[in-house]
């Protein structure tokens, strides 16, 4: 019996796995191009201000291990909120918080800046036909998982200010060019007693947004 060339077989298996994964990733990006049709103007405005290419960032996304056998899972906004309030309160992060943040945004999302980045975290992910995001705005966290966005403040607002906030422009409280360019009025204010934070909610209509086709992204980056 002729000896078995196990090294050659292992090489063919590795090559096959690589081809399958490359095709799966290409199909995943085509899926995003076909299904993601909207984004928050806050995301697009913030990306422009910070010199971040959302299209380039999304082109780095990878499908979850169980896709396409299982559809993409949309994390509810409340899950995201829980994963981030604790590090806001402490002003520091640890490995556990990093893992929780990555669990929400990695595969199929993209972490543009991790939780320990001095500029603050920034991440995007597809969510119900839109491109959702969370990003640090100074010591606060801005998130949009639909037309309703939230701004999580590190510290609770004084009672007198909290009572007066609903209906007022957000720029009166947060001095940031993003809220001057995109005026928003506070819908409601919630307090998280466990985290010691205030959460402002406001509506920002979504705008059309299209993720480039995989071949378009390849040409643009060449």
């Amino acid at each position: 019996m002729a000896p078995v060339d196990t090294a050659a077989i292992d090489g063919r298996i590795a090559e096959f796995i690589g081809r399958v994964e490359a095709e799966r990733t290409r199909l995943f990006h085509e899926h995003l191009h076909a299904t993601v049709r909207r984004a928050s103007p806050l995301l697009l405005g913030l990306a422009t201000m910070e010199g971040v290419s959302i299209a380039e960032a999304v082109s780095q996304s990878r499908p979850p291990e169980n896709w396409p056998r299982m559809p993409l899972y949309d994390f509810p906004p409340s899950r995201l909120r829980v994963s981030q309030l604790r590090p806001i309160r402490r002003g520091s992060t640890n490995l556990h918080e990093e893992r929780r943040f990555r669990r929400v945004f990695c595969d199929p999302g993209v972490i543009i800046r991790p939780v320990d980045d001095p500029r603050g975290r920034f991440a995007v992910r597809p969510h119900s036909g839109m491109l959702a995001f969370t990003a640090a705005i100074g010591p606060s966290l801005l998130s949009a998982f639909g037309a309703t966005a939230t701004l999580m403040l590190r510290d609770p607002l004084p009672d007198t200010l909290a009572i007066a906030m609903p209906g007022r422009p957000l720029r009166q409280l947060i001095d940031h060019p993003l809220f001057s360019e995109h005026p928003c009025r506070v819908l409601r204010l919630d307090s998280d007693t466990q985290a010691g934070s205030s959460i402002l909610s406001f509506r920002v209509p979504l705008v059309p947004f299209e993720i480039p086709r995989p071949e378009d992204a390849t040409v643009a980056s060449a």
Side-chain angles (χ1 to χ4, degrees), residues 138-173:
S140 306
L141 279 177
L142 174 65
S143 302
F145 276 67
T148 299
T150 59
L151 186 68
M152 305 177 194
L153 307 180
R154 181 175 57 187
D155 301 312
L157 292 176
D159 291 341
T160 53
L161 184 57
I163 294 174
M165 278 309 299
R168 296 179 62 180
L170 189 59
R171 65 175 180 269
Q172 292 184 1
L173 178 66

Side-chain angles (χ1 to χ4, degrees), residues 22-106:
E23 178 65 9
R24 194 172 73 96
T25 300
R26 186 187 66 80
L27 290 174
F28 175 69
H29 287 157
E30 288 189 0
H31 172 73
L32 294 183
H33 169 76
T35 57
V36 175
R37 283 289 179 259
R38 299 174 299 165
S40 172
L42 296 177
L43 167 61
L44 304 182
L46 184 63
T48 299
M49 291 178 184
E50 299 195 356
V52 173
S53 170
I54 297 300
E56 183 177 339
V58 174
S59 71
Q60 304 302 313
S61 63
R62 294 295 179 265
E65 291 183 0
N66 60 1
W67 188 90
R69 294 188 302 274
M70 297 290 292
L72 297 182
Y73 174 69
D74 290 335
F75 274 91
S78 58
R79 179 77 173 271
L80 173 68
R81 179 179 299 173
V82 170
S83 72
Q84 297 183 89
L85 281 174
R86 195 172 301 166
I88 294 176
R89 180 183 60 176
R90 289 201 305 260
S92 62
T93 59
N94 56 36
L95 182 59
H96 178 63
E97 299 297 346
E98 170 74 15
R99 287 174 177 170
R100 295 175 70 177
F101 183 67
R102 291 181 63 84
R103 192 177 302 124
V104 174
F105 282 99
C106 265

